[in-house]
Amino acid sequence: LVKYIIMEFLSLRVRLKDRNIEISFTKSVENYILNKIKLEKNHARQIKSAVKVLIQVPISNYIVKNRGIDKISINVVDKSLQFA
């Protein structure tokens, strides 16, 4: 499952690179998403939607609020994702 999560992150990284935005994330972010998927008893097919809900939507909101950014880093802080 981790392999599919990484593939989704790489896809997101490519899309953001087209907009000149660099994204970085820690291993703990992968584990956080994996744990969320396991808790909800989802499988590989639901990874794309989980990444969309947990990562893509918050990133788009972060980009809208912070115009002109060129780098986003994602970390796990207090069992939740933090975008900086």
Side-chain angles (χ1 to χ4, degrees):
L1 291 176
V2 174
K3 184 170 92 173
Y4 295 112
I5 294 170
I6 293 171
M7 286 173 33
E8 288 299 320
F9 274 134
L10 293 176
S11 169
L12 179 62
R13 182 176 279 163
V14 168
R15 285 184 285 166
L16 288 175
K17 192 171 187 173
D18 291 342
R19 303 177 119 226
N20 296 322
I21 299 173
E22 182 182 331
I23 185 169
S24 62
F25 52 90
T26 60
K27 183 79 173 165
S28 60
V29 174
E30 295 171 16
N31 292 332
Y32 175 82
I33 293 172
L34 182 64
N35 289 334
K36 285 284 193 181
I37 290 169
K38 285 183 178 179
L39 282 175
E40 295 174 7
K41 296 184 176 150
N42 289 335
H43 302 284
R45 291 179 186 232
Q46 287 85 11
I47 288 176
K48 189 173 213 145
S49 64
V51 170
K52 183 176 182 179
V53 169
L54 295 172
I55 302 294
Q56 290 179 4
V57 172
I59 282 179
S60 63
N61 291 335
Y62 184 79
I63 290 171
V64 168
K65 289 179 184 175
N66 302 294
R67 294 268 181 204
I69 59 170
D70 59 352
K71 185 173 182 175
I72 300 173
S73 101
I74 308 170
N75 296 310
V76 177
V77 177
D78 295 331
K79 297 183 180 180
S80 65
L81 294 176
Q82 178 183 15
F83 298 87

